[in-house]
Amino acid sequence: MFKKILIANRGEIACRVAVTARRMAIKTVAVYSDADANAKHVSVCDEAVHIGGSAPKDSYLRWEKIIAAAHATGAQAIHPGYGFLSENEEFAQACADAGLVFIGPPASAIKAMGLKAESKRLMEKAGVPLVPGYHGSDQSPALLKQEADRIGYPVLIKASAGGGGKGMRAVEKTEDFDAALASCKREAITSFGDDAVLVEKYAQRPRHIEIQVFGDSLGNYVYLFERDCSVQRRHQKVLEEAPAPGMTEAMRQQMGEAAVAAARAVNYVGAGTVEFIVEQHLPEDATSEVTGERRAGPPQASSAPSGGSVVREATSVGAFYFMEMNTRLQVEHPVTEAITGVDLVEWQLRVASGEPLPLRQEQLRIDGHAIEARICAENPDNDFLPATGTLQVYQKPACSNFERANFSTTGVAVRVDDGVREGDTISPFYDSMVAKLIVHGQTREEALVRLDDALAQTRIVGLNTNVQFLRYVARSSSFAQANLDTALIQREGAVLFKQEPLGLAMAAAAAIAQALLSEKATEGADPFSLRDGWQSHGVTRRRFEFEFHGEPAHAELTYLHDGALRLEVGKLSGPLVFSSGEQGMAIEFAGQRLTAAVYRQGEGDHVFSARGATQITAIDLLAHAGESHAETGRLTAPMPGKLVSFAVKVGDRVQKGQTLAVMEAMKMEHTIAAPADGVVQEVLYAPGDQVTEGSELLKISV
Ligand code: ADP
Ligand code: ADP
Ligand code: MG
């Protein structure tokens, strides 16, 4: 076994690899960029080497620096994590040439699976079922269109070199094909430096089910069952679980064997994932979604037709089609660890050092059910716009470290994998994922309850996150009933976006209770000393101005003679009773009880409770006296990033909501829309420019 390895990554995956290495008495070397000088992954490794500037191309992608760091520290092997260099065959080859072990598959296997089109050609030969489509090397637009017409609409154009949900365009009809192809190729060349595409049948409501495979250098292979990653936004995974609901033993074995065949076909070694698009079993007379053919089909598990107003039953597993193979450890690997008890990083290290696979297929078992939620710095209510900022509060639920992968032996059913600590900053340079929350239960229902509790106990202040959104998704009837497909978030939109879990009255009551408690601590309880209180008819009254979901709101508090408090918010009024306790503040108002923790950031109060988390801003009127209102006509960048394109030029008349520009930040594209009708006066940047948050992009006269 290795004595020392270098981890060529950052964030949670670098930390996670380091923990297993430590357990196996292997020393670790971290590498870091300027932005990560004080990052958690640096502190959990035994040594660290600075490799350059904050942008990935200046540090985590500079493989000559990384190889030099390995030599300088005496590391024998390099673990690439995921992303960055993990699927770069030149890097894998460069490691081998430098006498270092690349902890991953051989360069030839990465190359074979690197391009989606080529890998599909290979899989076709290996007899693995494919998503129907065109994956040939002739890239003439006329031929591609002809192929799309043959496949039948809707089709999906995919950048062959694509990844991370980028470089894909769905096309509804033949007239739209040329424009979609051109735009897909543009994105592919800028993002991946290669504009080759393939065309696939676009399945309407498929599931994404993937198989974890493992190979060793002796030619042994196993599959560690499946993960369902159907819950996606922008073709990126949001919740992942194992095993896949509705999976039968027979289907599991078929998919597992197909995945092993795929791995074997490229002489795969190490951990890999074969991703499949899976159809639901449809009623006998229905049309197969993926192939467009009528099938007699195997016996039906679910007889409800898909779509329409009919409530569908839990999803089933139908025909499956190879999509791509990811030649690395996957973000969602912990759900597999949770149900199998295998530490996949340990297996990677053993296999890379030449040992055989620790277990044979027949020794692998599924224990219970696991779900992972990706906690990201983003704003789900604003099209998942990535957020940056400082984790002023970062509280996790009671959880285990990933040290013991097997939940059933540790008894702790919640695991948090993260690469940040309270006080750390989420910078614009890297992925927006803050942490992964993994729960385990004997049944899916049990895991779901744990997930909801754990999300409720996850408190983050300082930047927008999707924590509350994840709770809504987990509680949605589709997810709760395991009615899974890639359209779930879209379908359940009405209960996922722009929701308010507490309501104004309780949010205001919590904010006021917290304010009174902290005043008591600092100023004493005397309401007459308050600068914004006043007296009328012998009782003291106090008015609070709030902003709640962008709307002004107010509340009035009355201090009664007997020391009791009366609160009036909107139509509700009544006594306000509160006390601080172990679990937070116990609040009673207007017939509701709530246990809440309130954190103040600036003027914003962040209220966390079992019912949900919300934000309310108490406006200190005295502090704002004399301020003018925000200027209109300025349009600023909502986050730091790169300008991709402007959709308007000087003199254009624009309408509210119209697209003005497209920005790219944290590996995603975002549309900047006009806040009001007007005329473009000035365009202040050019495509390709890097802008900081708040930079003025355009001037618009209104
Ligand atoms: P999956 O592993 O299921 O395919 P993703 O595609 O979302 O999930 O995850 C892989 C992606 O994560 C990479 O392609 C990259 O964009 C991003 N990534 C790379 N490095 C890191 C990192 N250190 N922390 C978080 N995300 C990263
Ligand atoms: P990436 O390399 O970005 O992960 P994938 O080929 O794995 O690209 O596709 C990402 C996601 O897009 C899938 O998980 C699935 O939800 C969706 N998708 C891909 N191909 C199809 C298809 N042919 N029909 C419907 N959805 C698809
Ligand atoms: Mg994929």
PDB file of all heavy atoms in Angstrom, residues 73-102:
ATOM      1  N   THR A  73       7.248  16.179  -2.604  1.00  0.00           N
ATOM      2  CA  THR A  73       6.823  15.707  -1.277  1.00  0.00           C
ATOM      3  C   THR A  73       6.992  14.200  -1.115  1.00  0.00           C
ATOM      4  O   THR A  73       6.707  13.654  -0.049  1.00  0.00           O
ATOM      5  CB  THR A  73       5.331  16.048  -1.050  1.00  0.00           C
ATOM      6  OG1 THR A  73       4.577  15.542  -2.161  1.00  0.00           O
ATOM      7  CG2 THR A  73       5.119  17.546  -0.923  1.00  0.00           C
ATOM      8  N   GLY A  74       7.379  13.546  -2.172  1.00  0.00           N
ATOM      9  CA  GLY A  74       7.569  12.094  -2.088  1.00  0.00           C
ATOM     10  C   GLY A  74       6.268  11.302  -2.141  1.00  0.00           C
ATOM     11  O   GLY A  74       6.218  10.150  -1.706  1.00  0.00           O
ATOM     12  N   ALA A  75       5.210  11.913  -2.698  1.00  0.00           N
ATOM     13  CA  ALA A  75       3.946  11.164  -2.846  1.00  0.00           C
ATOM     14  C   ALA A  75       4.122  10.121  -3.947  1.00  0.00           C
ATOM     15  O   ALA A  75       4.776  10.379  -4.951  1.00  0.00           O
ATOM     16  CB  ALA A  75       2.813  12.123  -3.188  1.00  0.00           C
ATOM     17  N   GLN A  76       3.526   8.943  -3.721  1.00  0.00           N
ATOM     18  CA  GLN A  76       3.685   7.866  -4.718  1.00  0.00           C
ATOM     19  C   GLN A  76       2.524   7.805  -5.702  1.00  0.00           C
ATOM     20  O   GLN A  76       2.634   7.175  -6.743  1.00  0.00           O
ATOM     21  CB  GLN A  76       3.763   6.514  -3.987  1.00  0.00           C
ATOM     22  CG  GLN A  76       4.915   6.429  -3.017  1.00  0.00           C
ATOM     23  CD  GLN A  76       4.585   5.435  -1.930  1.00  0.00           C
ATOM     24  OE1 GLN A  76       3.722   5.678  -1.093  1.00  0.00           O
ATOM     25  NE2 GLN A  76       5.262   4.291  -1.952  1.00  0.00           N
ATOM     26  N   ALA A  77       1.398   8.403  -5.319  1.00  0.00           N
ATOM     27  CA  ALA A  77       0.201   8.283  -6.155  1.00  0.00           C
ATOM     28  C   ALA A  77      -0.610   9.567  -6.062  1.00  0.00           C
ATOM     29  O   ALA A  77      -0.455  10.342  -5.116  1.00  0.00           O
ATOM     30  CB  ALA A  77      -0.644   7.099  -5.683  1.00  0.00           C
ATOM     31  N   ILE A  78      -1.468   9.777  -7.066  1.00  0.00           N
ATOM     32  CA  ILE A  78      -2.304  10.986  -7.098  1.00  0.00           C
ATOM     33  C   ILE A  78      -3.768  10.596  -7.197  1.00  0.00           C
ATOM     34  O   ILE A  78      -4.171   9.859  -8.098  1.00  0.00           O
ATOM     35  CB  ILE A  78      -1.930  11.893  -8.287  1.00  0.00           C
ATOM     36  CG1 ILE A  78      -0.470  12.343  -8.133  1.00  0.00           C
ATOM     37  CG2 ILE A  78      -2.883  13.087  -8.385  1.00  0.00           C
ATOM     38  CD1 ILE A  78      -0.020  13.399  -9.128  1.00  0.00           C
ATOM     39  N   HIS A  79      -4.558  11.083  -6.239  1.00  0.00           N
ATOM     40  CA  HIS A  79      -6.011  10.896  -6.318  1.00  0.00           C
ATOM     41  C   HIS A  79      -6.612  12.157  -6.928  1.00  0.00           C
ATOM     42  O   HIS A  79      -6.467  13.233  -6.369  1.00  0.00           O
ATOM     43  CB  HIS A  79      -6.601  10.646  -4.924  1.00  0.00           C
ATOM     44  CG  HIS A  79      -7.998  10.093  -4.998  1.00  0.00           C
ATOM     45  ND1 HIS A  79      -9.022  10.771  -5.617  1.00  0.00           N
ATOM     46  CD2 HIS A  79      -8.526   8.919  -4.562  1.00  0.00           C
ATOM     47  CE1 HIS A  79     -10.130  10.039  -5.554  1.00  0.00           C
ATOM     48  NE2 HIS A  79      -9.854   8.907  -4.923  1.00  0.00           N
ATOM     49  N   PRO A  80      -7.311  12.031  -8.058  1.00  0.00           N
ATOM     50  CA  PRO A  80      -7.797  13.238  -8.726  1.00  0.00           C
ATOM     51  C   PRO A  80      -9.170  13.720  -8.269  1.00  0.00           C
ATOM     52  O   PRO A  80      -9.630  14.769  -8.730  1.00  0.00           O
ATOM     53  CB  PRO A  80      -7.864  12.800 -10.188  1.00  0.00           C
ATOM     54  CG  PRO A  80      -8.254  11.352 -10.106  1.00  0.00           C
ATOM     55  CD  PRO A  80      -7.605  10.811  -8.862  1.00  0.00           C
ATOM     56  N   GLY A  81      -9.849  12.980  -7.376  1.00  0.00           N
ATOM     57  CA  GLY A  81     -11.208  13.376  -6.980  1.00  0.00           C
ATOM     58  C   GLY A  81     -12.150  13.317  -8.162  1.00  0.00           C
ATOM     59  O   GLY A  81     -12.038  12.428  -9.001  1.00  0.00           O
ATOM     60  N   TYR A  82     -13.101  14.285  -8.244  1.00  0.00           N
ATOM     61  CA  TYR A  82     -13.959  14.394  -9.434  1.00  0.00           C
ATOM     62  C   TYR A  82     -13.810  15.793  -9.992  1.00  0.00           C
ATOM     63  O   TYR A  82     -13.329  16.699  -9.315  1.00  0.00           O
ATOM     64  CB  TYR A  82     -15.414  14.052  -9.117  1.00  0.00           C
ATOM     65  CG  TYR A  82     -16.028  14.819  -7.964  1.00  0.00           C
ATOM     66  CD1 TYR A  82     -16.323  16.171  -8.069  1.00  0.00           C
ATOM     67  CD2 TYR A  82     -16.316  14.178  -6.767  1.00  0.00           C
ATOM     68  CE1 TYR A  82     -16.891  16.868  -7.015  1.00  0.00           C
ATOM     69  CE2 TYR A  82     -16.887  14.875  -5.700  1.00  0.00           C
ATOM     70  CZ  TYR A  82     -17.173  16.218  -5.835  1.00  0.00           C
ATOM     71  OH  TYR A  82     -17.728  16.911  -4.794  1.00  0.00           O
ATOM     72  N   GLY A  83     -14.243  15.996 -11.236  1.00  0.00           N
ATOM     73  CA  GLY A  83     -14.035  17.299 -11.870  1.00  0.00           C
ATOM     74  C   GLY A  83     -12.548  17.489 -12.162  1.00  0.00           C
ATOM     75  O   GLY A  83     -11.780  16.513 -12.216  1.00  0.00           O
ATOM     76  N   PHE A  84     -12.150  18.733 -12.361  1.00  0.00           N
ATOM     77  CA  PHE A  84     -10.746  19.071 -12.623  1.00  0.00           C
ATOM     78  C   PHE A  84     -10.049  18.052 -13.533  1.00  0.00           C
ATOM     79  O   PHE A  84     -10.506  17.827 -14.643  1.00  0.00           O
ATOM     80  CB  PHE A  84     -10.001  19.274 -11.301  1.00  0.00           C
ATOM     81  CG  PHE A  84     -10.569  20.406 -10.484  1.00  0.00           C
ATOM     82  CD1 PHE A  84     -10.901  20.251  -9.138  1.00  0.00           C
ATOM     83  CD2 PHE A  84     -10.809  21.651 -11.067  1.00  0.00           C
ATOM     84  CE1 PHE A  84     -11.434  21.300  -8.403  1.00  0.00           C
ATOM     85  CE2 PHE A  84     -11.353  22.705 -10.334  1.00  0.00           C
ATOM     86  CZ  PHE A  84     -11.662  22.524  -9.005  1.00  0.00           C
ATOM     87  N   LEU A  85      -8.984  17.408 -13.057  1.00  0.00           N
ATOM     88  CA  LEU A  85      -8.185  16.540 -13.933  1.00  0.00           C
ATOM     89  C   LEU A  85      -8.625  15.081 -13.912  1.00  0.00           C
ATOM     90  O   LEU A  85      -7.984  14.226 -14.520  1.00  0.00           O
ATOM     91  CB  LEU A  85      -6.713  16.635 -13.524  1.00  0.00           C
ATOM     92  CG  LEU A  85      -6.084  18.023 -13.719  1.00  0.00           C
ATOM     93  CD1 LEU A  85      -4.720  18.093 -13.034  1.00  0.00           C
ATOM     94  CD2 LEU A  85      -5.947  18.337 -15.208  1.00  0.00           C
ATOM     95  N   SER A  86      -9.735  14.793 -13.211  1.00  0.00           N
ATOM     96  CA  SER A  86     -10.082  13.391 -12.976  1.00  0.00           C
ATOM     97  C   SER A  86     -10.378  12.608 -14.250  1.00  0.00           C
ATOM     98  O   SER A  86     -10.178  11.407 -14.298  1.00  0.00           O
ATOM     99  CB  SER A  86     -11.280  13.295 -12.028  1.00  0.00           C
ATOM    100  OG  SER A  86     -12.403  13.930 -12.601  1.00  0.00           O
ATOM    101  N   GLU A  87     -10.851  13.304 -15.288  1.00  0.00           N
ATOM    102  CA  GLU A  87     -11.169  12.570 -16.511  1.00  0.00           C
ATOM    103  C   GLU A  87     -10.295  13.057 -17.664  1.00  0.00           C
ATOM    104  O   GLU A  87     -10.713  13.071 -18.812  1.00  0.00           O
ATOM    105  CB  GLU A  87     -12.669  12.711 -16.833  1.00  0.00           C
ATOM    106  CG  GLU A  87     -13.526  12.002 -15.799  1.00  0.00           C
ATOM    107  CD  GLU A  87     -15.005  12.130 -16.055  1.00  0.00           C
ATOM    108  OE1 GLU A  87     -15.612  13.136 -15.615  1.00  0.00           O
ATOM    109  OE2 GLU A  87     -15.561  11.225 -16.687  1.00  0.00           O
ATOM    110  N   ASN A  88      -9.085  13.427 -17.327  1.00  0.00           N
ATOM    111  CA  ASN A  88      -8.149  13.935 -18.320  1.00  0.00           C
ATOM    112  C   ASN A  88      -7.112  12.858 -18.614  1.00  0.00           C
ATOM    113  O   ASN A  88      -6.243  12.561 -17.790  1.00  0.00           O
ATOM    114  CB  ASN A  88      -7.496  15.203 -17.738  1.00  0.00           C
ATOM    115  CG  ASN A  88      -6.590  15.899 -18.717  1.00  0.00           C
ATOM    116  OD1 ASN A  88      -5.846  15.244 -19.444  1.00  0.00           O
ATOM    117  ND2 ASN A  88      -6.650  17.212 -18.734  1.00  0.00           N
ATOM    118  N   GLU A  89      -7.233  12.263 -19.805  1.00  0.00           N
ATOM    119  CA  GLU A  89      -6.357  11.111 -20.088  1.00  0.00           C
ATOM    120  C   GLU A  89      -4.896  11.531 -20.198  1.00  0.00           C
ATOM    121  O   GLU A  89      -3.989  10.762 -19.880  1.00  0.00           O
ATOM    122  CB  GLU A  89      -6.823  10.369 -21.342  1.00  0.00           C
ATOM    123  CG  GLU A  89      -6.405  10.983 -22.650  1.00  0.00           C
ATOM    124  CD  GLU A  89      -7.582  11.411 -23.519  1.00  0.00           C
ATOM    125  OE1 GLU A  89      -8.673  11.688 -22.979  1.00  0.00           O
ATOM    126  OE2 GLU A  89      -7.397  11.463 -24.739  1.00  0.00           O
ATOM    127  N   GLU A  90      -4.656  12.789 -20.615  1.00  0.00           N
ATOM    128  CA  GLU A  90      -3.261  13.234 -20.718  1.00  0.00           C
ATOM    129  C   GLU A  90      -2.624  13.317 -19.339  1.00  0.00           C
ATOM    130  O   GLU A  90      -1.447  13.000 -19.159  1.00  0.00           O
ATOM    131  CB  GLU A  90      -3.180  14.609 -21.381  1.00  0.00           C
ATOM    132  CG  GLU A  90      -3.485  14.569 -22.863  1.00  0.00           C
ATOM    133  CD  GLU A  90      -3.587  15.977 -23.427  1.00  0.00           C
ATOM    134  OE1 GLU A  90      -2.727  16.820 -23.091  1.00  0.00           O
ATOM    135  OE2 GLU A  90      -4.531  16.229 -24.181  1.00  0.00           O
ATOM    136  N   PHE A  91      -3.432  13.747 -18.373  1.00  0.00           N
ATOM    137  CA  PHE A  91      -2.910  13.816 -17.005  1.00  0.00           C
ATOM    138  C   PHE A  91      -2.633  12.407 -16.480  1.00  0.00           C
ATOM    139  O   PHE A  91      -1.578  12.152 -15.882  1.00  0.00           O
ATOM    140  CB  PHE A  91      -3.905  14.544 -16.096  1.00  0.00           C
ATOM    141  CG  PHE A  91      -3.475  14.595 -14.654  1.00  0.00           C
ATOM    142  CD1 PHE A  91      -2.328  15.291 -14.279  1.00  0.00           C
ATOM    143  CD2 PHE A  91      -4.211  13.959 -13.660  1.00  0.00           C
ATOM    144  CE1 PHE A  91      -1.920  15.343 -12.949  1.00  0.00           C
ATOM    145  CE2 PHE A  91      -3.813  14.004 -12.329  1.00  0.00           C
ATOM    146  CZ  PHE A  91      -2.666  14.696 -11.975  1.00  0.00           C
ATOM    147  N   ALA A  92      -3.566  11.487 -16.720  1.00  0.00           N
ATOM    148  CA  ALA A  92      -3.361  10.105 -16.266  1.00  0.00           C
ATOM    149  C   ALA A  92      -2.078   9.546 -16.881  1.00  0.00           C
ATOM    150  O   ALA A  92      -1.270   8.899 -16.205  1.00  0.00           O
ATOM    151  CB  ALA A  92      -4.562   9.243 -16.650  1.00  0.00           C
ATOM    152  N   GLN A  93      -1.870   9.850 -18.168  1.00  0.00           N
ATOM    153  CA  GLN A  93      -0.670   9.372 -18.852  1.00  0.00           C
ATOM    154  C   GLN A  93       0.581  10.064 -18.292  1.00  0.00           C
ATOM    155  O   GLN A  93       1.605   9.412 -18.060  1.00  0.00           O
ATOM    156  CB  GLN A  93      -0.800   9.628 -20.365  1.00  0.00           C
ATOM    157  CG  GLN A  93       0.263   8.947 -21.199  1.00  0.00           C
ATOM    158  CD  GLN A  93       0.299   7.432 -20.964  1.00  0.00           C
ATOM    159  OE1 GLN A  93      -0.716   6.747 -21.064  1.00  0.00           O
ATOM    160  NE2 GLN A  93       1.488   6.911 -20.595  1.00  0.00           N
ATOM    161  N   ALA A  94       0.469  11.359 -18.050  1.00  0.00           N
ATOM    162  CA  ALA A  94       1.618  12.109 -17.518  1.00  0.00           C
ATOM    163  C   ALA A  94       2.032  11.577 -16.152  1.00  0.00           C
ATOM    164  O   ALA A  94       3.221  11.526 -15.822  1.00  0.00           O
ATOM    165  CB  ALA A  94       1.275  13.602 -17.430  1.00  0.00           C
ATOM    166  N   CYS A  95       1.061  11.169 -15.339  1.00  0.00           N
ATOM    167  CA  CYS A  95       1.373  10.573 -14.036  1.00  0.00           C
ATOM    168  C   CYS A  95       2.185   9.292 -14.250  1.00  0.00           C
ATOM    169  O   CYS A  95       3.238   9.094 -13.640  1.00  0.00           O
ATOM    170  CB  CYS A  95       0.098  10.245 -13.259  1.00  0.00           C
ATOM    171  SG  CYS A  95      -0.758  11.680 -12.631  1.00  0.00           S
ATOM    172  N   ALA A  96       1.660   8.454 -15.129  1.00  0.00           N
ATOM    173  CA  ALA A  96       2.342   7.179 -15.397  1.00  0.00           C
ATOM    174  C   ALA A  96       3.763   7.445 -15.897  1.00  0.00           C
ATOM    175  O   ALA A  96       4.731   6.825 -15.424  1.00  0.00           O
ATOM    176  CB  ALA A  96       1.547   6.374 -16.427  1.00  0.00           C
ATOM    177  N   ASP A  97       3.904   8.410 -16.811  1.00  0.00           N
ATOM    178  CA  ASP A  97       5.225   8.728 -17.358  1.00  0.00           C
ATOM    179  C   ASP A  97       6.171   9.264 -16.290  1.00  0.00           C
ATOM    180  O   ASP A  97       7.383   9.105 -16.393  1.00  0.00           O
ATOM    181  CB  ASP A  97       5.097   9.763 -18.488  1.00  0.00           C
ATOM    182  CG  ASP A  97       4.327   9.201 -19.682  1.00  0.00           C
ATOM    183  OD1 ASP A  97       4.140   7.963 -19.737  1.00  0.00           O
ATOM    184  OD2 ASP A  97       3.890  10.003 -20.539  1.00  0.00           O
ATOM    185  N   ALA A  98       5.589   9.901 -15.269  1.00  0.00           N
ATOM    186  CA  ALA A  98       6.418  10.478 -14.209  1.00  0.00           C
ATOM    187  C   ALA A  98       6.656   9.475 -13.076  1.00  0.00           C
ATOM    188  O   ALA A  98       7.183   9.827 -12.022  1.00  0.00           O
ATOM    189  CB  ALA A  98       5.749  11.743 -13.664  1.00  0.00           C
ATOM    190  N   GLY A  99       6.217   8.252 -13.276  1.00  0.00           N
ATOM    191  CA  GLY A  99       6.446   7.219 -12.259  1.00  0.00           C
ATOM    192  C   GLY A  99       5.494   7.314 -11.080  1.00  0.00           C
ATOM    193  O   GLY A  99       5.768   6.796  -9.998  1.00  0.00           O
ATOM    194  N   LEU A 100       4.349   7.984 -11.305  1.00  0.00           N
ATOM    195  CA  LEU A 100       3.357   8.116 -10.235  1.00  0.00           C
ATOM    196  C   LEU A 100       2.127   7.281 -10.585  1.00  0.00           C
ATOM    197  O   LEU A 100       1.774   7.154 -11.755  1.00  0.00           O
ATOM    198  CB  LEU A 100       2.927   9.585 -10.098  1.00  0.00           C
ATOM    199  CG  LEU A 100       4.026  10.560  -9.678  1.00  0.00           C
ATOM    200  CD1 LEU A 100       3.605  11.993  -9.993  1.00  0.00           C
ATOM    201  CD2 LEU A 100       4.317  10.403  -8.178  1.00  0.00           C
ATOM    202  N   VAL A 101       1.464   6.759  -9.554  1.00  0.00           N
ATOM    203  CA  VAL A 101       0.241   6.002  -9.814  1.00  0.00           C
ATOM    204  C   VAL A 101      -0.935   6.973  -9.873  1.00  0.00           C
ATOM    205  O   VAL A 101      -1.142   7.767  -8.953  1.00  0.00           O
ATOM    206  CB  VAL A 101      -0.007   4.947  -8.715  1.00  0.00           C
ATOM    207  CG1 VAL A 101      -1.335   4.227  -8.946  1.00  0.00           C
ATOM    208  CG2 VAL A 101       1.150   3.951  -8.672  1.00  0.00           C
ATOM    209  N   PHE A 102      -1.681   6.930 -10.952  1.00  0.00           N
ATOM    210  CA  PHE A 102      -2.909   7.715 -11.066  1.00  0.00           C
ATOM    211  C   PHE A 102      -4.014   6.855 -10.460  1.00  0.00           C
ATOM    212  O   PHE A 102      -4.248   5.731 -10.920  1.00  0.00           O
ATOM    213  CB  PHE A 102      -3.184   8.002 -12.547  1.00  0.00           C
ATOM    214  CG  PHE A 102      -4.484   8.715 -12.804  1.00  0.00           C
ATOM    215  CD1 PHE A 102      -4.604  10.079 -12.580  1.00  0.00           C
ATOM    216  CD2 PHE A 102      -5.592   8.017 -13.287  1.00  0.00           C
ATOM    217  CE1 PHE A 102      -5.807  10.738 -12.830  1.00  0.00           C
ATOM    218  CE2 PHE A 102      -6.799   8.673 -13.532  1.00  0.00           C
ATOM    219  CZ  PHE A 102      -6.902  10.034 -13.301  1.00  0.00           C
TER     220      PHE A 102
END
